[in-house]
Amino acid sequence: MKWAASALLCLSLAAAEKWTVDDILLQEQVGAIELSRDGRFAVYAKSRIDKEKGESVSHLWLRRLDESDAIQLTRGQDSASSPRISPSGKLIAFLTSRRAPGAPSASSGAPAAEPPKTQIWLMNASGGEPWQLTRFERGVRAFEWISDDAIVAAAQEDPSLYHQKIKEAKDTSTVVDDEEHEPPVRLFRVEIKGGKATRLTANTDRITSIDVSPDGQWALTVHNRSLAEIYNQKIKPVTFLHHLPTGRSVELFAGQKLYPRSFHWHSDSKSFYFTAPYTTHPDLYNASVTKLYHFPMSLAEPFQAAAKARPAEVALDWDNGLAASPAPLPGGFLALLAGGARNRLARYYEAGNAWRREWIDQPDVHQLVSSLDGSRIVFLRSNASSPAVYIAARLSGNRFEDAKPFIEPNENLRKKAIAKTELVRWKGALDEEIEGILYYPHNYEAGKKYPLVVMIHGGPHGHDADAFRESWAYPHQLYAQRGAFILKPNYHGSSNYGLKFGESISGGKYNDLEWVDVEKGVDYLIARGLADPDKLGVLGWSNGSIISIELSVRTTRYKAVGAGAGDVNWTSDWGNAVFGDSFEQYYLGKTPMDDPDFYIKKSPLFQMDKVTSPTIIFFGTEDRQVPTEQGWQHYRALQHYGKTPVRFILFPGEPHSLRKYVHQKRKVEEELAWFDRHLFKTANPANPALKPVSPLAALARLKQAADVPETVERGSVSVGRFEVTRAQFRAFDPSYPVPPGAENYPATNVSFEKAQQYCRWLSSRTGRKYRLATEDEMAGLLTRSRNENTLDFWAGYAVNPDDAARLEPLVKEAGAGALLKPAGSFPGTGDDPLFDLGGNAAEWVLGKDGKPKVLGGSADRPADEKAPVTTLPDYIGFRVVLDR
């Protein structure tokens, strides 16, 4: 039975589609799900890389929960985000920086104004064109509905004289942390009819978030009061409660060490929950657990009493705290409780001043959204081997009922080979248990050892969840496809494992434990007989890169290192990183002025003479989280000692996380090539001057080709790279005429039956199953292209059907197949190219009705997709398909 299961797995993987870099980069991402108050429909944002624009574009979609089809609401290359449904459900408001109709643009010829700012736009939930609501000079930061008649928006104040003068002078200088002149962000009421904006607050700080009560009476705001708050966390944000009808405001939680991160109103507006981080450090919040608090509005009676009110901490009875924001319900809430790589789902019921918990038996949940009335729940279900799907359900007690797929992004990925995964645990530093996710090679066979690539998450106070997360930073499937195990360790300092674990690397212990955890995890897999100790690699981004670099100075056993945006010098990081002081004081316990020798001891830069692992380094030139000079120092030190190959790639204009498609693709391809060369030892030296899709590359491939046609994987089959050539067909039928010099021309004037006989002969000769393609398999591949060998090429223009009829006598007079060219004479299509899909010879396929059919362009006919295929026999050939 074990053998049968193994055989079935091998067959299923063989039939699955192979992964490409674009499969990773062009995934759809779903977010900002907003349910209507009655739970009848949802609006959400779906983002994806727009290859023409070169970066991700987000659009809004609407889906009614009792209907099967989703409706795309916005289009084009301008992103739309933050959808909010009006109380009645009739309107949808959202943020976008698109230009209003009639506004001048760079391409219009008229003098263009500054790039448009982010504004609030409206559209009918029933569809139609959106229209612009706000026109704030500096754009909108956040907003919420007050009622069907008005919205409250947070927007930067209009420019002062100081800023007007700077703009007039075209002065682009920057004053760092210029609190005196930083514009405040205030609240404004915006009328839906006419868009009139009225200022509601006169604060001098900056509002960063708004949460309005369902009845529109109250608003909660968080205010930033220091431009250096991220850097040193000395001046913390503050929270205000606003009574919108009267304009009164009061600060909440003063002196209570409560810094809310999210608010969640009850449907009756009589109370709200909020989440806040908790830490044992007196000032810094780099590592924490998330607690939940409850604030009854009775604490604001009288209003000013709210200033001294102390909210109740919700007794979750769970040391690790929350894993995500709760979903409020009438009489309680749903909560995801932090449980390492796998969270636990529970329902809490309010019982006076206490809460009662009931567990919900629903695995693989990573996100929760509820309608205001609690009638509908949407949750994200996924694990590391299963792409995400959003499920809509009704909640009955502690059970989900009527659960159905609601949003299924990236359905195409389910057709691909996806690595088996398992949760693994081992004893790490301090002899404490460490958890990680292990991805198996796609071609795994029990009893064999495979290369191991360790992929280390950033943070450090982050974690790898048991969820499907393929990205340009961590493309697991591309490495599993190469026959490698991938280990994702949740090392000491990771989140979701409780406060003690998160704080374990603080106060000077940073990078004392983490690299040990990784090393012991690798040893564990070697001891299990899974990982080949001579074929180890490691990579990571940000803190994952930092640990990878640390490993490179601690051991020589890693054959390849990928270091993306990682630190090597903590002294320069303290001054240059956007959060330098808070990070270093938390994790190193002091500043470089306090103890410069300790900073040198902690910095891998001063141990680069030990590195022998080939290292590839990546950085964005505008990275302020891990400043770019860290990459320069890393590169120059390895270059100086010259003990190992090193390659340094900079991405112009990119911040800490790469945004541009071309840069993401370059990163993945460069890193794969580095690991192919130094770890997998599979890299073939390529001619840097030869373009793979070029006719010259095709000629080189044809010269290397034997009698057996070369195939390329496309979907569940392998398709001939070229049409079967005359030389290849003559090996089957020695009587087939092949004039000297025409060996690499496509074999044409071959009947469908003869082409099938060739496939059967080739199958018996090779022991592999070759056949002709079906219409379904080739319908998306075979085209008629004006850029290939069609009649348009020979005529020198786009030939219409009338001119084709006039040219037909000339084509016949030229001789049988006279317009054909050698296979691959025109550029191919795809990263691993197929040639002549759009011209030269049309091709036999098996039609949907089971009868022979001809598809594709040919040299004797124009590239007119509207015309039927009427190719002459001398221009009909075929290509083979190999079943995998």
Side-chain angles (χ1 to χ4, degrees):
M1 290 300 294
K2 289 184 178 179
W3 177 88
S6 176
L8 284 172
L9 176 62
C10 292
L11 286 171
S12 64
L13 289 175
E17 297 181 13
K18 286 293 186 74
W19 286 79
T20 67
V21 175
D22 272 0
D23 289 330
I24 303 292
L25 303 186
L26 301 183
Q27 292 178 83
E28 296 173 333
Q29 306 294 333
V30 173
I33 298 175
E34 169 96 348
L35 285 168
S36 62
R37 295 191 176 194
D38 58 9
R40 292 172 55 201
F41 70 94
V43 179
Y44 54 94
K46 185 189 291 186
S47 61
R48 188 175 188 266
I49 289 284
D50 182 312
K51 292 179 75 171
E52 183 179 343
K53 187 176 182 180
E55 60 188 41
S56 182
V57 174
S58 172
H59 285 300
L60 303 186
W61 291 70
L62 183 147
R63 169 81 188 270
R64 302 191 184 280
L65 273 74
D66 294 326
E67 297 179 5
S68 59
D69 294 328
I71 301 169
Q72 185 170 352
L73 299 177
T74 63
R75 300 179 185 274
Q77 292 189 343
D78 294 305
S79 284
S81 63
S82 305
R84 298 287 186 272
I85 302 169
S86 66
S88 66
K90 294 180 179 180
L91 292 177
I92 299 166
F94 61 96
L95 295 178
T96 182
S97 57
R98 67 173 65 188
R99 292 185 184 277
S105 65
S107 60
S108 66
E114 292 182 355
K117 305 297 183 183
T118 299
Q119 305 288 354
I120 301 171
W121 286 56
L122 299 172
M123 69 185 311
N124 288 311
S126 57
E129 285 295 317
W131 65 94
Q132 185 174 345
L133 176 66
T134 62
R135 286 174 171 78
F136 288 100
E137 187 167 346
R138 285 170 159 161
V140 173
R141 302 293 181 88
F143 76 96
E144 290 287 347
W145 286 92
I146 298 175
S147 66
D148 283 335
D149 299 320
I151 279 174
V152 62
Q156 211 171 37
E157 192 52 85
D158 290 341
S160 64
L161 178 61
Y162 172 83
H163 289 102
Q164 291 178 40
K165 287 182 177 180
I166 288 176
K167 183 177 179 180
E168 290 171 3
K170 299 181 180 179
D171 184 355
T172 57
S173 306
T174 298
V175 179
V176 177
D177 297 341
D178 188 8
E179 288 285 355
E180 180 183 359
H181 296 108
E182 183 67 16
V185 178
R186 293 171 172 154
L187 287 187
F188 297 83
R189 177 187 171 98
V190 183
E191 305 298 331
I192 299 304
K193 292 183 178 179
K196 180 184 177 182
T198 303
R199 187 177 292 102
L200 297 179
T201 63
N203 56 293
T204 58
D205 50 23
R206 294 160 293 279
I207 294 174
T208 58
S209 69
I210 314 169
D211 287 88
V212 176
S213 60
D215 63 7
Q217 297 292 300
W218 306 96
L220 292 159
T221 56
V222 175
H223 300 232
N224 171 273
R225 290 194 160 176
S226 170
L227 295 174
E229 192 267 329
I230 295 176
Y231 178 72
N232 56 33
Q233 296 186 29
K234 289 182 178 179
I235 301 176
K236 300 294 195 292
V238 296
T239 303
F240 275 83
L241 175 66
H242 306 266
H243 187 237
L244 295 176
T246 63
R248 292 184 297 165
S249 301
V250 61
E251 183 181 348
L252 303 180
F253 319 134
Q256 298 184 44
K257 202 181 176 184
L258 286 175
Y259 307 110
R261 290 182 175 170
S262 66
F263 297 97
H264 310 274
W265 284 94
H266 260 309
S267 58
D268 60 8
S269 301
K270 292 182 179 180
S271 67
F272 62 87
Y273 292 102
F274 67 93
T275 63
Y278 172 76
T279 178
T280 62
H281 195 283
D283 301 304
L284 301 174
Y285 285 78
N286 298 68
S288 62
V289 293
T290 300
K291 292 189 173 185
L292 186 67
Y293 298 84
H294 184 241
F295 190 102
M297 292 305 293
S298 59
L299 296 178
E301 297 173 359
F303 184 64
Q304 290 305 318
K308 296 182 179 181
R310 290 186 172 273
E313 180 184 340
V314 176
L316 297 172
D317 192 24
W318 191 258
D319 291 342
N320 292 0
L322 292 174
S325 292
L329 301 169
F333 58 92
L334 288 178
L336 277 175
L337 301 178
R342 293 175 179 166
N343 301 317
R344 293 199 67 180
L345 180 59
R347 180 172 186 175
Y348 286 82
Y349 296 87
E350 294 176 10
N353 294 323
W355 285 265
R356 177 173 58 87
R357 183 181 66 198
E358 289 187 0
W359 294 112
I360 297 178
D361 184 18
Q362 178 66 55
D364 302 335
V365 176
H366 298 277
Q367 183 183 340
L368 294 164
V369 181
S370 61
S371 61
L372 185 65
D373 63 3
S375 63
R376 290 297 182 100
I377 307 293
V378 172
F379 62 90
L380 170 60
R381 187 178 68 197
S382 171
N383 60 52
S385 293
S386 179
V389 57
Y390 289 84
I391 305 294
R394 300 181 187 276
L395 188 63
S396 176
N398 64 345
R399 292 180 297 107
F400 288 128
E401 295 183 343
D402 194 28
K404 298 177 182 177
F406 180 59
I407 308 170
E408 297 185 77
N410 308 307
E411 290 183 83
N412 61 305
L413 299 186
R414 298 181 185 277
K415 302 175 183 177
K416 297 184 177 294
I418 296 178
K420 167 193 168 184
T421 57
E422 68 171 289
L423 228 55
V424 291
R425 297 179 179 89
W426 64 93
K427 288 298 180 69
L430 307 179
D431 205 32
E432 294 180 345
E433 184 177 82
I434 301 299
E435 187 176 64
I437 301 170
L438 181 66
Y439 293 70
Y440 277 67
H442 286 181
N443 59 344
Y444 174 73
E445 294 180 29
K448 290 186 177 181
K449 295 181 180 180
Y450 294 85
L452 170 66
V453 178
V454 185
M455 297 189 183
I456 308 176
H457 72 72
H461 199 56
H463 73 283
D464 278 313
D466 184 11
F468 194 82
R469 293 175 180 171
E470 299 294 326
S471 69
W472 57 266
Y474 300 99
H476 317 102
Q477 303 302 329
L478 293 177
Y479 286 82
Q481 185 169 268
R482 281 165 161 73
F485 279 102
I486 297 97
L487 176 64
K488 306 293 296 292
N490 284 328
Y491 49 83
H492 275 90
S494 297
S495 63
N496 240 43
Y497 290 86
L499 191 57
K500 180 183 176 182
F501 194 79
E503 293 182 336
S504 63
I505 61 172
S506 65
K509 297 186 289 293
Y510 182 71
N511 252 347
D512 288 351
L513 309 180
E514 304 93 296
W515 71 272
V516 179
D517 294 336
V518 175
E519 281 286 82
K520 290 194 173 184
V522 172
D523 291 340
Y524 161 76
L525 294 178
I526 292 172
R528 279 183 60 181
L530 299 176
D532 185 336
D534 296 322
K535 294 182 179 179
L536 305 177
V538 62
L539 64 86
W541 197 267
S542 194
N543 202 78
S545 174
I546 292 168
I547 299 175
S548 299
I549 295 167
E550 187 71 25
L551 287 165
S552 76
V553 303
R554 298 279 186 171
T555 176
T556 61
R557 67 175 176 172
Y558 293 95
K559 308 304 181 186
V561 175
D567 283 284
V568 294
N569 185 345
W570 294 112
T571 301
S572 63
D573 185 81
W574 176 85
N576 295 330
V578 68
F579 42 61
D581 183 68
S582 61
F583 187 94
E584 265 78 350
Q585 292 229 48
Y586 185 83
Y587 286 109
L588 300 186
K590 59 188 79 174
T591 72
M593 290 83 74
D594 299 327
D595 192 345
D597 291 339
F598 182 71
Y599 268 65
I600 290 173
K601 177 184 175 182
K602 282 289 187 180
S603 298
L605 177 66
F606 303 102
Q607 302 179 62
M608 287 292 148
D609 59 319
K610 301 176 182 177
V611 178
T612 60
S613 299
T615 302
I616 187 166
I617 304 166
F618 304 98
F619 262 91
T621 62
E622 303 304 313
D623 193 341
R624 291 194 60 214
Q625 291 176 249
V626 181
T628 313
E629 55 265 25
Q630 297 288 333
W632 279 106
Q633 293 176 65
H634 190 189
Y635 173 68
R636 291 303 187 200
L638 292 179
Q639 187 185 60
H640 170 76
Y641 288 112
K643 293 183 178 181
T644 188
V646 59
R647 185 170 173 83
F648 183 26
I649 299 169
L650 287 168
F651 301 107
E654 293 283 16
H656 189 59
S657 181
L658 304 183
R659 298 173 300 183
K660 297 289 186 181
Y661 165 74
V662 65
H663 294 154
Q664 293 179 0
K665 188 168 187 177
R666 181 71 180 269
K667 185 269 178 185
V668 175
E669 291 178 341
E670 286 274 0
E671 200 164 46
L672 284 170
W674 192 260
F675 277 67
D676 283 345
R677 178 181 176 186
H678 296 288
L679 174 62
F680 301 119
K681 305 293 185 181
T682 57
N684 294 317
N687 186 333
L690 186 64
K691 192 174 182 180
V693 298
S694 68
L696 187 58
L699 179 61
R701 288 180 182 275
L702 280 169
K703 286 194 172 182
Q704 297 170 3
D707 291 343
V708 178
E710 181 187 7
T711 58
V712 178
E713 292 178 359
R714 288 292 190 273
S716 61
V717 296
S718 293
V719 180
R721 189 182 297 279
F722 306 98
E723 293 157 336
V724 173
T725 66
R726 292 175 179 177
Q728 290 168 339
F729 192 77
R730 184 172 58 184
F732 154 69
D733 181 2
S735 66
Y736 184 78
V738 181
E743 291 83 0
N744 288 333
Y745 280 67
T748 57
N749 205 11
V750 173
S751 69
F752 180 82
E753 291 74 18
K754 201 75 171 178
Q756 286 184 314
Q757 291 173 19
Y758 171 84
C759 293
R760 289 193 289 270
W761 168 82
L762 187 62
S763 298
S764 63
R765 181 183 175 191
T766 61
R768 309 181 74 186
K769 185 179 179 181
Y770 289 90
R771 59 176 173 81
L772 295 181
T774 66
E775 182 179 358
D776 286 338
E777 290 168 334
M778 298 303 290
L781 294 175
L782 289 171
T783 62
R784 285 178 267 187
S785 172
R786 292 192 171 93
N787 297 318
E788 296 196 39
N789 188 20
T790 60
L791 188 58
D792 297 22
F793 167 77
W794 289 98
Y797 65 94
V799 179
N800 70 18
D802 302 311
D803 285 341
R806 299 182 183 103
L807 293 173
E808 187 170 357
L810 296 177
V811 171
K812 292 180 178 179
E813 289 172 11
L819 305 187
L820 292 171
K821 287 184 171 291
S825 295
F826 289 77
T829 58
D831 292 334
D832 194 6
L834 298 174
F835 292 87
D836 299 323
L837 292 173
N840 213 20
E843 300 178 19
W844 286 116
V845 299
L846 184 65
K848 296 178 181 180
D849 57 1
K851 298 179 181 179
K853 188 170 185 176
V854 177
L855 291 181
S858 59
D860 67 322
R861 290 291 182 261
D864 181 1
E865 292 283 2
K866 298 185 290 294
V869 177
T870 56
T871 306
L872 296 170
D874 292 325
Y875 294 91
I876 299 176
F878 67 101
R879 75 177 73 217
V880 298
V881 161
L882 172 63
D883 284 328
R884 293 192 275 125

